[in-house]
Amino acid sequence: MEEKGITLSPKHGLNPSITHCECCGKEIGLALFGRMKGDKEAPKDIYSGLCDDCQKVIDSKGLMIIEVRDGETGNEPYRTGRIVGITKDARERMFKDVKSPIVYMEQSMFGPMFGKYCGN
Ligand SMILES: [Zn+2]
């Protein structure tokens, strides 16, 4: 009979990871992996799903803009830690061609546009 739920890892117990909002990085909760293939240890942090704040912006057709270092490319660019959420209206004014609800922006562009809202 197959048990639902998790199998404890002999080495790592519940084998938890802290889950973070994949947009802003805020902690959302814990994910318990238990015994993984090869009894590996779960990563300490995983970025998956959205926190309520980011979800709200995206649900209302706003746009989340994540600042990244200049020259970064690829799917995991280096983030500076600054992030803004803009409303649907602002999105339509400034970013009407952007399809994705979450975008990366290089800091040389982000700074002049949003720096003043981020405290520097
Ligand atoms: Zn978030």
Side-chain angles (χ1 to χ4, degrees), residues 21-26 28 49-55 64 83:
C21 172
E22 64 188 34
C23 182
C24 70
K26 196 159 75 183
I28 308 173
L50 292 167
C51 71
D52 292 347
D53 293 338
C54 295
Q55 189 68 59
M64 295 302 299
I83 186 163

Side-chain angles (χ1 to χ4, degrees), residues 11-66:
K11 266 198 241 159
H12 311 294
L14 290 169
N15 208 8
S17 289
I18 300 169
T19 54
H20 299 262
C21 172
E22 64 188 34
C23 182
C24 70
K26 196 159 75 183
E27 277 183 33
I28 308 173
L30 285 178
L32 305 175
F33 291 95
R35 185 176 186 133
M36 294 169 79
K37 210 170 152 200
D39 201 15
K40 280 203 298 260
E41 186 169 12
K44 190 170 158 291
D45 299 287
I46 53 177
Y47 292 82
S48 174
L50 292 167
C51 71
D52 292 347
D53 293 338
C54 295
Q55 189 68 59
K56 224 180 285 171
V57 171
I58 290 166
D59 285 349
S60 62
K61 301 209 162 37
L63 180 67
M64 295 302 299
I65 303 170
I66 300 168

Side-chain angles (χ1 to χ4, degrees), residues 105-119:
M105 185 185 282
E106 290 189 353
Q107 60 194 131
S108 57
M109 187 173 173
F110 186 102
M113 280 180 101
F114 302 112
K116 58 180 183 268
Y117 307 113
C118 299

Side-chain angles (χ1 to χ4, degrees), residues 86-105:
I86 65 172
T87 61
K88 179 170 180 275
D89 285 356
R91 177 179 183 164
E92 283 168 357
R93 273 202 314 274
M94 298 191 282
F95 302 99
K96 64 175 166 28
D97 299 327
V98 173
K99 302 277 186 291
S100 164
I102 302 174
V103 294
Y104 295 116
M105 185 185 282

